[in-house]
Amino acid sequence: MRIVVLTQSLIIFKQALNEIIKGRRSVTPDTALRLSQVLEMSADFWLGLQQDWDLWHAMNSPKAVEIMQLQSISMGVENLA
């Protein structure tokens, strides 16, 4: 499918779709709903892909080393309330 046809069907700007494809822009819930309607794949699918992308980048970022140094908090069931 050509990008021009897809952007017309989604009613979004060509530049916005290009940025999503190139990983420069996130898939928002609004865009996920549009993709779901036009491509017949659930909005959850599109948002899940975005979440996977975001998590991968967080896990491979310079901050990931710092995050891995955090200590877990051991809490008993009695401390949850």
Side-chain angles (χ1 to χ4, degrees), residues 41-56:
M41 298 175 80
S42 75
D44 289 335
F45 170 79
W46 296 107
L47 289 175
L49 288 177
Q50 182 63 54
Q51 187 174 20
D52 291 346
W53 175 263
D54 292 342
L55 182 57
W56 185 90

Side-chain angles (χ1 to χ4, degrees), residues 15-69:
Q15 180 180 355
L17 186 58
N18 265 327
E19 289 176 357
I20 290 169
I21 291 168
K22 293 179 179 181
R24 296 182 189 146
R25 178 181 279 208
S26 296
V27 173
T28 64
D30 179 84
T31 304
L33 287 171
R34 292 170 187 272
L35 288 165
S36 172
Q37 185 66 31
V38 172
L39 299 176
E40 299 180 355
M41 298 175 80
S42 75
D44 289 335
F45 170 79
W46 296 107
L47 289 175
L49 288 177
Q50 182 63 54
Q51 187 174 20
D52 291 346
W53 175 263
D54 292 342
L55 182 57
W56 185 90
H57 280 280
M59 292 171 63
N60 292 283
S61 73
K63 286 231 174 213
V65 174
E66 177 185 331
I67 292 168
M68 295 305 292
Q69 302 302 316

Side-chain angles (χ1 to χ4, degrees), residues 1-20:
M1 177 177 292
R2 296 194 58 200
I3 196 163
V4 173
V5 173
L6 187 55
T7 56
Q8 289 172 347
S9 297
L10 293 170
I11 312 174
I12 64 172
F13 292 110
K14 180 181 171 185
Q15 180 180 355
L17 186 58
N18 265 327
E19 289 176 357
I20 290 169

